[in-house]
Amino acid sequence: MKKILIWCLTLTLLLLGLYAYFGSDWLGKSQTAPMTVTVAKGDLLDQVTATGTLQPSGYVDVGAQVSGQLKVIAVEVGDKVEQDTLLAEIDPTVYVAQVDASRAQLRAQQAQLKDREAQLTLAKIQHTRQRNLLAADATAKESVQSAEASLRSAQAQVEALTAQIAQTESSLRADEANLSYAKVVAPMAGTVVQIDARQGQTLNASQQSPVLMRIADLALMTVAAKVSEADVSKLTPGMKVYFTTLGDSQKRWYSTLRKIEPTPVIENNVVLYNALFDVENPDGALMSQMTTQVFFVLTEAKDALLVPMSALSFTDPADRTQAKVTVVNAKGLPETRTVQVGVSNRIHAAITEGLAIGEQVQTQAASSNKNNASARPAGRMRI
């Protein structure tokens, strides 16, 4: 009899241990009641996210158009410049000499032209005299012909010299332009963001124009966001977009989508499309190559009643505007209710009809063991 009592006691302790370890689920019953959340008001966004990079909306690489030693660099990185501000100067000695030579040659040709014009005037006078003498039968016909040939030769010499002067004037303009290129000026107003040359460096512009520096307009920045091929079809130019930077994830910068570039970029076998939009940067807080987290707003709801998507049951997968929820009534009993769904994303849904603020709804996800976390009541969303 004593052995039977000991065996029964041992079995009872074993059963209690199993119940304590596995809980009431071991007996086929639910351990905890279904989780509930409180219907609360908040703002809801359905959006596409992407990462992007900031770059100036406009910039120009300033190059040298002539060869020579770089004698002066007049600016530093970060300097703001106006259009036509002196940026750098190349040794102009060779170009000054070329201009002087062309001007001297032009003066010599202009003097020769005066001499040819005088000879032309004389040839006209002699030609007229010979024709008058021939009319009076006082000279030979051959003399008239000789005078006419001299006149035509004088006219041709004037025309040839006039053409040479025009060619020299063209060369002089080119030489003067090269001399002006020795002073490198800003082609646009902006900020010097990069300097590639060094003072004293010898530049060779015969093959390719060497880049001296870059000037960018930082007052207006462009964000190039890389959007996956699965999401790009959801975007349309003119839609609302905002972004944050790594340095300040709380501040939002708002804009509208300007365009989507049709040619994709493939990174690690992922097809991405550049979506571009502009943002004002009056205080210079946004800088080139900053990484951004971009949010394209597809739809949004302001001050709406929000519930988790896990609380909804859609009877028709094609119709996402009507769903059923389980509401805990005032007696603590569950009741099924049909609601109208407005804007939704993968986490929350905005209810336009069928629920009131403060009501309790059950979620479909229930805790089945000790490690499950309880759901938080829906509140004002932070996207």
Side-chain angles (χ1 to χ4, degrees):
M1 187 68 178
K2 186 177 180 180
K3 290 183 179 180
I4 294 176
L5 290 175
I6 294 175
W7 183 86
C8 290
L9 180 61
T10 302
L11 180 61
T12 301
L13 292 175
L14 177 61
L15 291 174
L16 290 175
L18 290 173
Y19 182 87
Y21 183 83
F22 291 103
S24 60
D25 281 353
W26 183 62
L27 300 177
K29 298 180 181 180
S30 175
Q31 178 186 357
T32 60
M35 293 186 296
T36 60
V37 294
T38 303
V39 179
K41 281 191 173 183
D43 299 335
L44 180 63
L45 298 176
D46 184 16
Q47 55 197 6
V48 169
T49 61
T51 58
T53 304
L54 276 164
Q55 58 190 18
S57 60
Y59 68 89
V60 61
D61 289 327
V62 181
Q65 295 181 264
V66 295
S67 302
Q69 186 183 47
L70 186 59
K71 295 182 69 67
V72 175
I73 296 180
V75 294
E76 295 180 351
V77 173
D79 287 353
K80 294 183 178 180
V81 297
E82 298 296 328
Q83 187 172 357
D84 296 330
T85 299
L86 179 65
L87 303 177
E89 187 172 357
I90 300 170
D91 185 2
T93 304
V94 175
Y95 305 104
V96 171
Q98 290 176 348
V99 169
D100 291 342
S102 295
R103 287 175 178 171
Q105 183 180 4
L106 180 60
R107 289 195 298 269
Q109 290 174 342
Q110 289 172 340
Q112 293 176 14
L113 178 61
K114 291 180 180 179
D115 178 65
R116 295 292 189 273
E117 288 174 342
Q119 294 180 16
L120 175 61
T121 301
L122 178 60
K124 288 179 179 180
I125 295 173
Q126 291 176 345
H127 179 256
T128 301
R129 182 185 298 116
Q130 289 298 322
R131 292 189 63 180
N132 291 337
L133 291 174
L134 181 62
D137 199 17
T139 187
K141 189 176 181 179
E142 289 80 4
S143 298
V144 177
Q145 292 173 344
S146 177
E148 185 176 352
S150 297
L151 174 60
R152 291 179 178 176
S153 176
Q155 289 174 336
Q157 291 179 19
V158 169
E159 292 175 358
L161 196 53
T162 301
Q164 291 178 15
I165 290 175
Q167 182 178 9
T168 302
E169 288 175 340
S170 177
S171 298
L172 176 59
R173 286 194 295 271
D175 292 337
E176 289 174 338
N178 286 334
L179 177 59
S180 68
Y181 294 153
K183 291 185 177 180
V184 182
V185 297
M188 61 175 283
T191 304
V192 180
V193 296
Q194 179 179 327
I195 295 179
D196 299 310
R198 294 292 179 268
Q199 189 167 309
Q201 178 181 345
T202 300
L203 307 174
N204 183 5
S206 58
Q207 298 295 329
Q208 184 178 3
S209 177
V211 176
L212 304 182
M213 62 190 68
R214 173 174 290 186
I215 296 177
D217 180 11
L218 301 182
L220 183 67
M221 303 294 287
T222 296
V223 177
K226 291 181 171 58
V227 182
S228 69
E229 59 179 327
D231 293 328
V232 71
S233 60
K234 303 175 185 177
L235 308 186
T236 55
M239 71 187 305
K240 183 179 178 181
V241 58
Y242 67 92
F243 70 92
T244 60
T245 62
L246 293 181
D248 187 359
S249 60
Q250 299 301 316
K251 183 175 182 179
R252 294 182 178 183
W253 303 77
Y254 289 89
S255 183
T256 55
L257 179 60
R258 175 161 55 88
K259 73 173 183 178
I260 301 172
E261 293 183 344
T263 304
V265 177
I266 300 177
E267 296 181 357
N268 299 324
N269 295 325
V270 178
V271 179
L272 304 170
Y273 291 84
N274 280 329
L276 307 179
F277 59 92
D278 304 318
V279 61
E280 298 288 342
N281 186 32
D283 56 359
L286 300 176
M287 299 183 182
S288 299
Q289 302 304 314
M290 276 186 170
T291 301
T292 61
Q293 184 69 28
V294 182
F295 304 86
F296 299 93
V297 180
L298 303 178
T299 54
E300 60 181 327
K302 296 288 187 179
D303 205 29
L305 296 179
L306 304 181
V307 298
M309 287 294 291
S310 59
L312 302 179
S313 176
F314 294 95
T315 56
D316 184 2
D319 183 11
R320 307 290 288 183
T321 62
Q322 192 176 79
K324 293 184 181 298
V325 296
T326 301
V327 183
V328 179
N329 60 24
K331 297 180 180 180
L333 301 176
E335 63 179 36
T336 301
R337 192 182 300 176
T338 300
V339 296
Q340 296 294 322
V341 181
V343 177
S344 64
N345 56 27
R346 284 177 287 186
I347 302 175
H348 287 83
I351 305 302
T352 60
E353 185 179 337
L355 286 178
I357 188 170
E359 287 190 303
Q360 298 288 321
V361 296
Q362 292 182 357
T363 61
Q364 297 174 8
S367 177
S368 61
N369 54 53
K370 302 177 184 181
N371 298 323
N372 284 351
S374 61
R376 296 181 179 177
R380 185 166 298 274
M381 293 189 64
R382 293 184 178 180
I383 304 295

